[in-house]
Amino acid sequence: MNQQRDTREERHRTRQDEIIMAARQCFRQYGFHAASMGQLASRANLSVGQIYRYFPSKDALIEEMVKRIVDNRVAAMSDHVDAQHIAAMLAWRETLSEDDEMLMLEVAAEASRNPRVADILQAADAHIFSNACRKMRLNYPHLSDEHITACVEVLAVLVEGTAFRRLTPQKASAISLQTLYQQLIHHIIKHSEDK
């Protein structure tokens, strides 16, 4: 009995993964707003009704997709969040996934039109922000919570701004930018230590 249930759950997860993959492709090609459930169903080789068995709405699909992107970012954050790594990532415009970055820009655009997607984006931001604060607290335990929050906010602006800037050619050398980012991050953390 348990084996049958496990097999059903595995099939369910596999089908959800296939739908999410098809949704990612459609959303990248058409944008969230313009992608239809019919296009998504066609890409997933399913009927629209079958998709609705797994996800009750396009917003539910977006929510699951964003959750997976954020979970991947949080997992990566566990390994690579220190000032030097962040400076290098920003300067060289590195990303965990170019596709995820572009999809999150689509989420931000859709959030400006759709209150439900705005809520999804806020929840995702709260999750990743709290994890970044926790990681910074581990690296700099002597800093106050207020200063950690302020530092993470500035770093979030730099990271998210860099995601947007990836759409244009970089105007300065990555080597020069890395030095400036290191100095900036050091100054932010040092300034917080002095308070």
Side-chain angles (χ1 to χ4, degrees), residues 28-132:
R28 283 281 286 135
Q29 183 174 358
Y30 304 108
F32 289 126
H33 200 61
S36 71
M37 291 302 275
Q39 290 165 325
L40 195 152
S42 176
R43 182 79 48 107
N45 296 318
L46 298 169
S47 70
V48 171
Q50 286 174 305
I51 295 217
Y52 282 126
R53 269 193 252 159
Y54 295 92
F55 297 98
S57 66
K58 192 192 299 186
D59 291 350
L61 260 167
I62 293 170
E63 184 170 19
E64 179 61 23
M65 187 189 67
V66 168
K67 178 189 176 304
R68 291 176 183 206
I69 291 170
V70 168
D71 286 349
N72 286 339
R73 288 179 176 180
V74 167
M77 194 183 294
S78 299
D79 300 331
H80 302 297
V81 177
D82 59 47
Q84 196 165 23
H85 178 79
I86 292 170
M89 181 194 73
L90 294 170
W92 296 91
R93 292 186 173 183
E94 294 173 2
T95 180
L96 293 173
S97 165
E98 181 85 23
D99 197 47
D100 286 354
E101 291 290 338
M102 295 302 108
L103 284 166
M104 290 307 288
L105 289 174
E106 286 287 344
V107 171
E110 184 65 15
S112 71
R113 296 181 288 269
N114 180 332
R116 176 67 188 116
V117 176
D119 290 343
I120 292 166
L121 187 61
Q122 287 179 15
D125 179 71
H127 179 59
I128 204 161
F129 196 91
S130 67
N131 276 280

